[in-house]
Amino acid sequence: MSISLSSLILLPIWINMSQIQQGGPDEKEKTTALKDLLSRIDLDELMKKDEPPLDFPDTLEGFEYAFNEKGQLRHIKTGEPFVFNYREDLHRWNQKRYEALGEIITKYVYDLLEKDCNLKKIFIPVDATESEPKSFIFMSEDALTNPQKLMVLIHGSGVVRAGQWARKLIINEDLDSGTQIPFIKRAMDEGYGVIVLNPNENCIEVEKPKTHVQSSSDSSDEPVEKRERKDKVFKETKKRRDFYEKYRNPQREKEMMQLYIRENGSPEEHTVYVWDHFIAKSAAENVFFVAHSYGGLAFVELMIQREADVKSKVTAVALTDSVHNVWHQEAGKTIREWMRENCCNWVSSSEPLDTSVESMLPDCPRVSAEECCRTRVKHQGLGS
């Protein structure tokens, strides 16, 4: 049986607790004090000291995984699906490993959008300088010139990026279930131009600059004795601070800061930006949206801000488990009426496919997506 460092640290406290609890009133006061001490110990931080290094591969091959011919993620040697609990009792480490794999999956899907779907990566803001933070979307060659129809895809919130519906489905099921690729290919086969939004790419992360702590001895006007005393205090304080930092951050993880992308700092901003600079300028007579989860909320916000323009170009909207709320978003009567005629929300339900599902909101119809709306909506057709 292995004993973790955190267990060894806490063992004397547990022993003292058991001994004190057998005593009288004075011991009870000590018990209360020790309980207070225990409540202030951050076990998560202590557990970091037992972790292996947070140093993960940056390729699928490095993780010893690959997608097979069915689009399923499988271990190269064993053929087994992805295992989350790679190291037992190290949940934080396993989660960090999963997130590292997820970043590789994101880049893998980006490559598929360009190489397999023949989409182009378009950087935004369109007038960005060389040095400012940028995001990007993906578009088909004819996205802006197709005179007939244009398909716009918006994913939900969280870690997913352009081309994905759900990272978990990509890793645990297959690419067809978790990505937008089947939608994109079918749309292109049926003569649609395609634009794939990237509403969660709102900022870039950079390492925080290290703050320089000025030594007290920099003040040369003070008497020598006073300056020496202050230097001693300064060095002792710095030593304690460094010791605490080593405890707080034993893996020496980089402290990051976020630099937001101009006019794309939120999913709602991003959707409006792409509308103004791309969709509104497209030649398509009919524009169709497929929006999942928070993507539905972003579409409703777009309607609120660009109601007349949206009504003039958008023919139909397929929502999947949309989390929009016309009351909270203060969508007006004319928007709600338009949504009733032009939108449909496929929601998770045990009812048969396309069965009407009751809604308390006076907006668009809700129908059953049966098993899973992400994989079912594609069977409903992409519109005329």
Side-chain angles (χ1 to χ4, degrees), residues 112 124 128 145 247 266 271 304 306 309 317 331:
L112 289 179
I124 53 177
T145 59
Y247 156 74
S266 70
T271 304
I304 292 170
R306 301 288 186 271
D309 292 340
V317 181

Side-chain angles (χ1 to χ4, degrees), residues 57-58 63 96-110 159 161 164 167 171 201:
D58 56 5
F63 271 94
K96 293 287 186 181
R97 173 176 174 266
Y98 178 81
E99 291 168 4
L101 176 64
E103 291 303 309
I104 297 171
I105 295 293
T106 292
K107 294 174 184 176
Y108 185 87
V109 173
Y110 287 161
V159 296
R161 295 294 185 268
Q164 301 181 44
R167 178 185 287 182
I171 293 175
E201 191 76 13

Side-chain angles (χ1 to χ4, degrees), residues 71-86:
Q72 300 166 322
L73 188 67
R74 293 293 182 264
H75 195 276
I76 294 172
K77 296 178 180 177
T78 67
E80 294 295 316
F82 177 76
V83 176
F84 178 85
N85 290 314
Y86 188 77

